[in-house]
Amino acid sequence: MRFHLKFYLHYLVLLGFSGVISIYGPHQRAQKTGDILLGGLFPIHFGVASKDQDLAARPESTECVRYNFRGFRWLQSMIFAIEEINNSSTLLPNITLGYRIFDTCNTVSKGLEASLSFVAQNKIDSLNLDEFCNCTGNIPSTIAVVGASGSAVSTAVADLLGLFYIPQISYASSSRLLSNKNQYKSFMRTIPTDEYQAIAMAAIIDHFQWNWVIAIASDDEYGRPGIEKFENEMFHRDICIDLNVLISQYIDEAEIRRLADRIENSTAKVIAVFASGPDIEPLIKEMVRRNVTDRIWLASEAWASSSLVAKPEYLDVMGGTIGFALRAGHIPGFKEFLQQVHPKKSSLNEFVREFWEETFNCYLEDSPRNEDSENGSTSFRPLCTGEEDIASVETPYLDYTHLRISYNVYVAVYAIAQALQDILTCTPGKGLFANGSCADIRKVEAWQVLKQLRHLNFINSIGEKVRFDNGSELSEVGYYSIHNKNGAKLSIDKTKILWNGHLTEVPFSNCSEECVTGTRKGIIDGKPTCCFECTECSDGEYSDHKDASVCSKCPNNSWSNGNHTSCFLKEIEFLSWTEPFGIALALFAVLGVLLTAFVLGVFVRFRDTPIVKESNRELSFLLLFSLICCFSSSLIFIGEPQDWTCRLRQPAFGISFVLCISCILVKTNRVLLVFEAKIPTRLHSKWWGLNLQFLLVFLFTFVQVMICVVWLYNAPPGSYKNYDIDEIIFITCNEGSMMALGFLIGYTCLLTAVCFFFAFKSRKLPENFTEAKFITFSMLIFFIVWISFIPAYFSTYGKFVSAVEVIAILASSFSLLACIFFNKVYIILLKPSRNTIEEVRCSTAAHAFKAAAKATLRQSSASRKMSSSVGRSSASSPSSSISMKTNGNETESPSTRRHGQKPRVSFGSGTVSLSLSFEEARKNSVK
C-alpha cells in the first residue's frame, strides 16, 4: 500500500512538471537542443502593457511592449558564442551546447515566469524517476543561466535559482546587494557593482566642484542601493542633495509633472540618475516638453547609452550628459553574424520575426500582428517581402562599434563553457568534489557547474583575466579606474566636454556662490551645510583659497593683511635707541648724568667752603654718585631687551634709588638731631659721627640688595616676546615676579616716606639748611611720580612699559638733583658772599635766638597762668627785655632797654640785634 502511494505521488508530480515543460512559460522563445542546456534571460521589450484585470475571466499573460533592439543584440551575442563554441575543436569537443532563451520584458513577473521553466526540469531530474519510467527522451536540465539585465529582475531570479543551486551569470545587473553570497548563493556577474559607479559619480561631482545636486533613482533593487551608496559618498565629500526621489516607468503622468516642477524650481543644476532607460524615459519626455535645457545630467550605466534616451529630439535637453559605460570589448566575426539575421534563416529564434517587423515597420505572413491589425487593434503595416536589406537601415541592433553588454554576455557564455571544459578534462583525484573526484560531463548537474565556476580562472579573448571574485571582473568603469596602482583615479579631459547649450565652461551648480579668498563659509540656520554665507576672516586669520571652510590662524610672528588673504611678518617693537622717543629719553638721561657730574665737580672744587662743609660734604658726594647711578640706570631700559639687561635694570634702578634716599635720610636726620638734640653736644657728636652715618646708609641699601638677590635667585626676569598685540611683536622684559618688583618699589617708597617726615620736621632750620624744605618738596614729587607710575605701569603694554619707568626714574632723579643741589650751586657760583663762615654762624645764631624766644614765650605764658590763679591785684603784667651777646658773657639788663639802648649780639665781625618784649594791657579791677 505504501509502495503504491509513493508511486501515485511521483506520478502526479511527473504529470505536473510535464505540463510545465510543455505549456508553462513564455510562448515566445529562442531554443536549440544539445547535450548540455544553457538558459538565457534578455529584455527583448522594455516593459509590459498596463491592463486592469478584474478577474471576471481567466487572467491572461500580460503583453510585452516597446521593442528593445539592444536587448535583441545581447541575445544574439549569446547565440553567437554558443555556435562558436560548438564549432570549436579545442573547447568542449564532442559536446554540443543548447539553449533556451526567454524575454523578461524588463519586469520581475516575466523574469520569474521564464525562470520557472528552467527550474521545472531540474526538479524532475532531482526526483530520480528512472526506476518508474524511461525519461531519457526528456529535455536535459538547464545547468546555467545567463541573465538577467536589470538588477530587480536578477534579484528575483537569483532567489529562485539559488534554491536549486543553478548558477546564474548576469551581464548587466550591477546592484551591490547581489554581492551578498549568503543570500544569493549562485549569483555571479561580468559587470562591476554599482558601488564603484556611485563612487565614480560622486568623484565627478567633486571634480567639477559642484555641491548642490538632485538625486533620482529607480524604485527597485538597482536604484535604491545605488543611490544609497551615492548619498554616502556625497556626505563624506561635503556635497549636498537638494532633491532625492524614486521613480518608475509605471508612475502616472501627474506624478511626473509634479517631479518636473520640483526639478525646475530647484537651484541645483546637476541631476544624478541611478535608473534604467524605461524608468527615466517618462521624466525625460516631460523635461523635453518643457524645454528645460539648463541642467547637467549624470547617467548611470543602465541608461547612459539607452536608445530610449539617445534620440535626436532629446538633444537640446540631454546634450552634455555625462554617463558611465562599461569598457568595450571586441568579438571577432560578430558583425557578420548580426548582418546575417533573417526570419527564414532563424527558425529556432522566434524573436527574429518581431525584430524584422519592428525594423522595417511591416508584418510577416502568419504573424500575430497581422491578426491584430485586421481587428483594428494596431495601426496598419505593409506586408514584409523578406527581401529587405538589414544593412540599409540605421538601428541600434547594428551598433557594434562599442560592444559592452554584448561583450559581457559573450564572456559569460565562455565562462560557463570553460567551467565545463575543466570538468571534461578533470583528472580523478584532483577534482573539486569529494575525495578529489570529478563530475561526469554527460550527467553534469547545475550545482557541480556552480562549484567549478567559483574556482574558474582563465584568460578571455582580449587578454583579460576572468575570475568570479565578489561579483566584479572588469577593472574600469568609464574613465574611473578602480584598480589603479595609486588608488582609484578619475581622469577627465574637460576640453572634450561640450556642456548643454554648447557651453565650454563648467556649469555652476552650487547652493551658494563660492567664497573668495579672505573669507570663509558661514553656516545658515536651517539650511544644509552646502548653503552658506561668506564671512570675512577675523583679524589674525586668513584664507588663501576659495570656499574655505575655516580661516587659518597666522603664525605668532605674523598678522593678516587687509584682505585676509595672506599673512605678513609682524613689526618687532621695543624702546629703541633710534626712535625719537628713545632718543629723547636717552638725551635726558645723559643730561642728568652730566648735570650731576657738574654739580659733583663744583662740590669737589669748593669742598672747603662753609656751605659745602655744613651740608655734610661726604654724604653729599655719595648722594651725587647715587644720582649718577640713577640717571645711568634709566639707559638700561632703552634698547632691545636681552636676558642680561632684564635682570640688571630693575636691581640697578632699585639699589641706586635706595642709596640716594638713604643718603638724604641720614643727612636730614643728622641736621635735625644737631639742632633739636637734648643731649650734650659731645655725646651727640660721638654717637652721630661720619662712620655711623655711612653704616646706616649701608644697612638701608643692603636690605634692597637682599631683595634683589632673592628675586634674581627665585624668579629672574628675562626677555619676552609679546604676540598678543595686533600687527606688532613687543619685545619686553618678563619681570619674573611682580611681588618682588612690588617689594623693591615699596621699600624705596618706605624710605622716601621716612625721609619726607624728617625733612618736613626740619623745614624751619637755619637758612643755610633750608635744603630741608627742598628735600620735602623733592619727596613730594617723588611720591607723586611713583604713585602715578603704578597704574600707568599696569595699564600700558609693550615698549611703553619701559618708557613709563624711564620717565619715572628721570623725573625723580631730576627733582632730587634740582631741589637739593641747584640752590647751593647757585650760591657757590653766583653768590659767593653768602658762602662764608659768618653767614653760616649768623644763620645758626638766629635760629638759636628764635628757639630761645619760643622757649621764653612758653615760660611767660605758663607764669601768667600761675599768677592769674593767685589773684588779680596787679594792674599790668611785667615788661621784660632780653639781650644777649654771644662773644662774651655779658647780658644787658632790662634797665638798658628802659634807657633807650637797643640790645646787641655780636659774633666776631657780625652783629645781630634782637629785641623781645611782652606786654599785657592793664586791666581795670572789677568795680
Side-chain angles (χ1 to χ4, degrees), residues 442-467:
R442 297 293 177 179
K443 297 181 180 180
V444 67
E445 298 184 41
W447 67 271
Q448 293 172 323
V449 178
L450 176 61
K451 177 73 171 179
Q452 201 70 45
L453 282 171
R454 289 179 177 176
H455 291 79
L456 185 66
N457 191 350
F458 76 102
I459 305 299
N460 63 10
S461 60
I462 63 173
E464 289 182 334
K465 180 180 290 187
V466 178
R467 181 182 180 187

Short mmCIF file of all heavy atoms in Angstrom, two decimals, residues 442-467:
data_model
loop_
_atom_site.label_atom_id
_atom_site.label_comp_id
_atom_site.label_asym_id
_atom_site.label_seq_id
_atom_site.Cartn_x
_atom_site.Cartn_y
_atom_site.Cartn_z
N ARG A 442 28.66 14.03 -18.99
CA ARG A 442 27.43 13.60 -19.62
C ARG A 442 26.25 13.66 -18.67
O ARG A 442 25.11 13.75 -19.11
CB ARG A 442 27.58 12.16 -20.15
CG ARG A 442 28.63 12.00 -21.23
CD ARG A 442 28.22 12.74 -22.49
NE ARG A 442 29.25 12.66 -23.54
CZ ARG A 442 29.13 13.21 -24.73
NH1 ARG A 442 28.03 13.85 -25.06
NH2 ARG A 442 30.12 13.11 -25.61
N LYS A 443 26.53 13.63 -17.39
CA LYS A 443 25.46 13.71 -16.40
C LYS A 443 25.70 14.88 -15.43
O LYS A 443 25.35 14.80 -14.26
CB LYS A 443 25.37 12.41 -15.62
CG LYS A 443 25.02 11.20 -16.47
CD LYS A 443 24.93 9.93 -15.61
CE LYS A 443 24.57 8.71 -16.47
NZ LYS A 443 24.49 7.49 -15.65
N VAL A 444 26.33 15.90 -15.90
CA VAL A 444 26.69 17.03 -15.03
C VAL A 444 25.43 17.71 -14.53
O VAL A 444 24.42 17.82 -15.24
CB VAL A 444 27.59 18.02 -15.79
CG1 VAL A 444 26.85 18.70 -16.91
CG2 VAL A 444 28.17 19.06 -14.84
N GLU A 445 25.49 18.16 -13.29
CA GLU A 445 24.36 18.84 -12.67
C GLU A 445 24.72 20.30 -12.42
O GLU A 445 25.89 20.69 -12.40
CB GLU A 445 23.97 18.16 -11.36
CG GLU A 445 23.52 16.72 -11.54
CD GLU A 445 23.06 16.11 -10.23
OE1 GLU A 445 22.38 16.80 -9.45
OE2 GLU A 445 23.39 14.93 -9.98
N ALA A 446 23.67 21.08 -12.19
CA ALA A 446 23.86 22.53 -12.04
C ALA A 446 24.77 22.86 -10.87
O ALA A 446 25.63 23.75 -10.97
CB ALA A 446 22.51 23.21 -11.88
N TRP A 447 24.62 22.19 -9.76
CA TRP A 447 25.43 22.51 -8.58
C TRP A 447 26.90 22.23 -8.82
O TRP A 447 27.78 22.89 -8.27
CB TRP A 447 24.92 21.77 -7.35
CG TRP A 447 25.07 20.28 -7.40
CD1 TRP A 447 24.20 19.37 -7.90
CD2 TRP A 447 26.20 19.52 -6.92
NE1 TRP A 447 24.68 18.09 -7.78
CE2 TRP A 447 25.90 18.18 -7.17
CE3 TRP A 447 27.41 19.86 -6.31
CZ2 TRP A 447 26.78 17.13 -6.83
CZ3 TRP A 447 28.28 18.85 -5.97
CH2 TRP A 447 27.97 17.50 -6.23
N GLN A 448 27.19 21.19 -9.67
CA GLN A 448 28.58 20.89 -9.99
C GLN A 448 29.19 21.98 -10.87
O GLN A 448 30.35 22.36 -10.70
CB GLN A 448 28.66 19.53 -10.69
CG GLN A 448 28.28 18.36 -9.78
CD GLN A 448 28.18 17.05 -10.54
OE1 GLN A 448 27.72 17.03 -11.69
NE2 GLN A 448 28.60 15.96 -9.89
N VAL A 449 28.40 22.50 -11.80
CA VAL A 449 28.88 23.62 -12.63
C VAL A 449 29.11 24.86 -11.77
O VAL A 449 30.08 25.61 -11.97
CB VAL A 449 27.87 23.91 -13.75
CG1 VAL A 449 28.33 25.10 -14.58
CG2 VAL A 449 27.68 22.69 -14.64
N LEU A 450 28.22 25.09 -10.78
CA LEU A 450 28.39 26.24 -9.87
C LEU A 450 29.69 26.12 -9.10
O LEU A 450 30.43 27.12 -8.94
CB LEU A 450 27.20 26.31 -8.91
CG LEU A 450 27.26 27.40 -7.83
CD1 LEU A 450 27.31 28.78 -8.47
CD2 LEU A 450 26.06 27.29 -6.90
N LYS A 451 30.01 24.94 -8.61
CA LYS A 451 31.26 24.72 -7.88
C LYS A 451 32.46 25.03 -8.76
O LYS A 451 33.43 25.68 -8.33
CB LYS A 451 31.31 23.27 -7.39
CG LYS A 451 32.59 22.86 -6.68
CD LYS A 451 32.67 23.45 -5.31
CE LYS A 451 33.85 22.87 -4.53
NZ LYS A 451 33.97 23.44 -3.18
N GLN A 452 32.38 24.57 -10.03
CA GLN A 452 33.50 24.78 -10.94
C GLN A 452 33.64 26.26 -11.31
O GLN A 452 34.75 26.77 -11.46
CB GLN A 452 33.29 23.95 -12.20
CG GLN A 452 34.57 23.68 -12.98
CD GLN A 452 35.51 22.72 -12.26
OE1 GLN A 452 35.08 21.69 -11.73
NE2 GLN A 452 36.79 23.08 -12.21
N LEU A 453 32.51 26.96 -11.44
CA LEU A 453 32.57 28.39 -11.77
C LEU A 453 33.21 29.20 -10.65
O LEU A 453 33.89 30.20 -10.90
CB LEU A 453 31.16 28.92 -12.05
CG LEU A 453 30.56 28.58 -13.42
CD1 LEU A 453 29.10 28.96 -13.48
CD2 LEU A 453 31.34 29.31 -14.53
N ARG A 454 32.97 28.78 -9.42
CA ARG A 454 33.56 29.52 -8.29
C ARG A 454 35.07 29.43 -8.28
O ARG A 454 35.74 30.27 -7.68
CB ARG A 454 32.99 28.99 -6.98
CG ARG A 454 31.53 29.36 -6.75
CD ARG A 454 31.02 28.77 -5.46
NE ARG A 454 29.63 29.20 -5.20
CZ ARG A 454 28.90 28.77 -4.17
NH1 ARG A 454 29.43 27.92 -3.31
NH2 ARG A 454 27.66 29.19 -4.01
N HIS A 455 35.62 28.39 -8.91
CA HIS A 455 37.08 28.22 -8.95
C HIS A 455 37.64 28.51 -10.34
O HIS A 455 38.77 28.14 -10.65
CB HIS A 455 37.45 26.78 -8.54
CG HIS A 455 37.18 26.50 -7.09
ND1 HIS A 455 35.93 26.22 -6.62
CD2 HIS A 455 38.01 26.46 -6.01
CE1 HIS A 455 35.98 26.01 -5.32
NE2 HIS A 455 37.23 26.16 -4.92
N LEU A 456 36.84 29.19 -11.16
CA LEU A 456 37.25 29.45 -12.53
C LEU A 456 38.31 30.55 -12.57
O LEU A 456 38.24 31.53 -11.85
CB LEU A 456 36.03 29.87 -13.35
CG LEU A 456 36.26 30.07 -14.86
CD1 LEU A 456 36.62 28.74 -15.51
CD2 LEU A 456 35.01 30.65 -15.50
N ASN A 457 39.28 30.37 -13.46
CA ASN A 457 40.32 31.37 -13.65
C ASN A 457 40.93 31.16 -15.04
O ASN A 457 41.72 30.25 -15.25
CB ASN A 457 41.39 31.24 -12.56
CG ASN A 457 42.35 32.42 -12.55
OD1 ASN A 457 42.32 33.25 -13.45
ND2 ASN A 457 43.19 32.49 -11.54
N PHE A 458 40.55 32.04 -15.99
CA PHE A 458 41.05 31.88 -17.35
C PHE A 458 41.22 33.24 -18.01
O PHE A 458 40.74 34.25 -17.51
CB PHE A 458 40.12 30.98 -18.18
CG PHE A 458 38.86 31.65 -18.63
CD1 PHE A 458 38.72 32.10 -19.94
CD2 PHE A 458 37.78 31.83 -17.76
CE1 PHE A 458 37.56 32.71 -20.36
CE2 PHE A 458 36.62 32.43 -18.18
CZ PHE A 458 36.50 32.88 -19.49
N ILE A 459 41.89 33.24 -19.16
CA ILE A 459 42.14 34.46 -19.93
C ILE A 459 41.18 34.47 -21.12
O ILE A 459 41.12 33.51 -21.89
CB ILE A 459 43.59 34.52 -20.43
CG1 ILE A 459 44.57 34.38 -19.24
CG2 ILE A 459 43.83 35.83 -21.16
CD1 ILE A 459 44.45 35.47 -18.20
N ASN A 460 40.43 35.60 -21.25
CA ASN A 460 39.45 35.66 -22.34
C ASN A 460 40.11 36.07 -23.65
O ASN A 460 41.34 36.20 -23.75
CB ASN A 460 38.30 36.59 -21.96
CG ASN A 460 38.76 38.04 -21.77
OD1 ASN A 460 39.89 38.39 -22.09
ND2 ASN A 460 37.88 38.86 -21.23
N SER A 461 39.27 36.37 -24.63
CA SER A 461 39.77 36.62 -25.99
C SER A 461 40.56 37.91 -26.11
O SER A 461 41.36 38.06 -27.04
CB SER A 461 38.60 36.65 -26.99
OG SER A 461 37.67 37.67 -26.63
N ILE A 462 40.35 38.88 -25.22
CA ILE A 462 41.10 40.14 -25.31
C ILE A 462 42.21 40.22 -24.27
O ILE A 462 42.75 41.28 -23.99
CB ILE A 462 40.16 41.36 -25.17
CG1 ILE A 462 39.49 41.38 -23.79
CG2 ILE A 462 39.13 41.38 -26.27
CD1 ILE A 462 38.69 42.65 -23.55
N GLY A 463 42.52 39.07 -23.68
CA GLY A 463 43.65 39.01 -22.76
C GLY A 463 43.34 39.38 -21.33
O GLY A 463 44.27 39.55 -20.53
N GLU A 464 42.07 39.50 -20.98
CA GLU A 464 41.71 39.82 -19.60
C GLU A 464 41.53 38.55 -18.79
O GLU A 464 41.03 37.54 -19.31
CB GLU A 464 40.42 40.64 -19.56
CG GLU A 464 40.55 42.04 -20.04
CD GLU A 464 39.25 42.80 -19.91
OE1 GLU A 464 38.18 42.17 -19.92
OE2 GLU A 464 39.30 44.04 -19.79
N LYS A 465 41.93 38.65 -17.52
CA LYS A 465 41.74 37.52 -16.63
C LYS A 465 40.31 37.53 -16.11
O LYS A 465 39.84 38.53 -15.58
CB LYS A 465 42.72 37.59 -15.45
CG LYS A 465 42.57 36.43 -14.48
CD LYS A 465 43.55 36.54 -13.32
CE LYS A 465 44.97 36.30 -13.81
NZ LYS A 465 45.93 36.24 -12.68
N VAL A 466 39.61 36.44 -16.28
CA VAL A 466 38.23 36.32 -15.83
C VAL A 466 38.22 35.45 -14.58
O VAL A 466 38.68 34.31 -14.60
CB VAL A 466 37.32 35.70 -16.92
CG1 VAL A 466 35.90 35.53 -16.40
CG2 VAL A 466 37.34 36.56 -18.17
N ARG A 467 37.68 36.03 -13.52
CA ARG A 467 37.61 35.32 -12.25
C ARG A 467 36.43 35.87 -11.48
O ARG A 467 36.32 37.08 -11.30
CB ARG A 467 38.90 35.50 -11.45
CG ARG A 467 38.91 34.76 -10.13
CD ARG A 467 40.20 35.02 -9.39
NE ARG A 467 40.23 34.33 -8.13
CZ ARG A 467 41.19 34.47 -7.22
NH1 ARG A 467 42.20 35.30 -7.47
NH2 ARG A 467 41.15 33.80 -6.09
#
